[in-house]
């Protein structure tokens, strides 16, 4: 897998993990989760990559994803607090989502 392709895969994997988890997640924990996927080749036993290097790859991928959400007209954003990150909806969609949820619970 080429480096650029691998970077896209890592970014997509991070997005999927954050979507499913739904709560703030530590960057270190994201790294550990992704290390379990052999396709991403980020194993902790890889002599070519230290734990710090893997975490740096995760941080760079998070920044790429963050920039995409800022630049594109999307309904999602990344929220960073301390060493945690969460995938969330943009505030401008709060009224829409509140109404949607109210309607869903009425039925």
């Amino acid at each position: 897998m080429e480096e650029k392709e691998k970077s896209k895969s890592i970014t997509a994997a991070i997005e999927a993990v954050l979507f499913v988890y739904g709560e703030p997640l530590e960057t270190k924990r994201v790294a550990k989760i992704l290390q379990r996927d052999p396709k991403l080749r980020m194993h902790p036993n890889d002599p070519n990559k230290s734990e710090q290097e893997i975490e740096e790859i995760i941080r760079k991928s998070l920044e790429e994803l963050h920039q995409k959400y800022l630049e594109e007209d999307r309904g999602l954003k990344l929220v960073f607090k301390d060493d945690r990150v969460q995938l969330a909806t943009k505030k401008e969609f709060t009224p829409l989502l509140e109404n949607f949820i109210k309607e869903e619970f009425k039925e």
Side-chain angles (χ1 to χ4, degrees):
M1 183 182 299
E2 285 183 33
E3 200 61 36
K4 189 173 182 178
E5 203 174 298
K6 183 178 177 183
S7 176
K8 284 183 180 180
S9 293
I10 291 169
T11 302
I14 290 170
E15 184 177 41
V17 167
L18 292 175
F19 176 79
V20 169
Y21 195 71
E23 297 291 326
L25 202 54
E26 288 183 351
T27 306
K28 285 183 178 189
R29 183 132 181 243
V30 173
K32 287 182 181 183
I33 291 166
L34 296 187
Q35 287 173 351
R36 296 178 191 150
D37 188 339
K39 291 181 285 186
L40 297 177
R41 296 188 192 135
M42 296 180 56
H43 296 289
N45 298 334
D46 183 347
N48 298 321
K49 288 196 176 65
S50 69
E51 192 172 311
Q52 289 80 16
E53 287 173 308
I54 291 171
E55 287 176 29
E56 185 59 30
I57 290 168
I58 299 302
R59 278 192 272 285
K60 285 181 182 178
S61 294
L62 282 167
E63 185 55 39
E64 285 176 25
L65 188 57
H66 179 64
Q67 286 303 315
K68 279 186 179 185
Y69 286 136
L70 290 175
E71 294 166 5
E72 298 174 6
D73 190 21
R74 310 278 290 259
L76 301 173
K77 66 179 180 175
L78 288 182
V79 177
F80 294 91
K81 185 172 182 186
D82 301 323
D83 194 35
R84 295 177 179 262
V85 61
Q86 180 177 9
L87 184 62
T89 54
K90 290 183 177 175
K91 287 191 185 289
E92 63 211 58
F93 295 104
T94 300
L96 169 74
L97 298 173
E98 285 176 347
N99 288 332
F100 167 69
I101 290 169
K102 284 178 189 175
E103 288 297 317
E104 285 297 305
F105 283 113
K106 280 184 184 177
E107 295 177 7

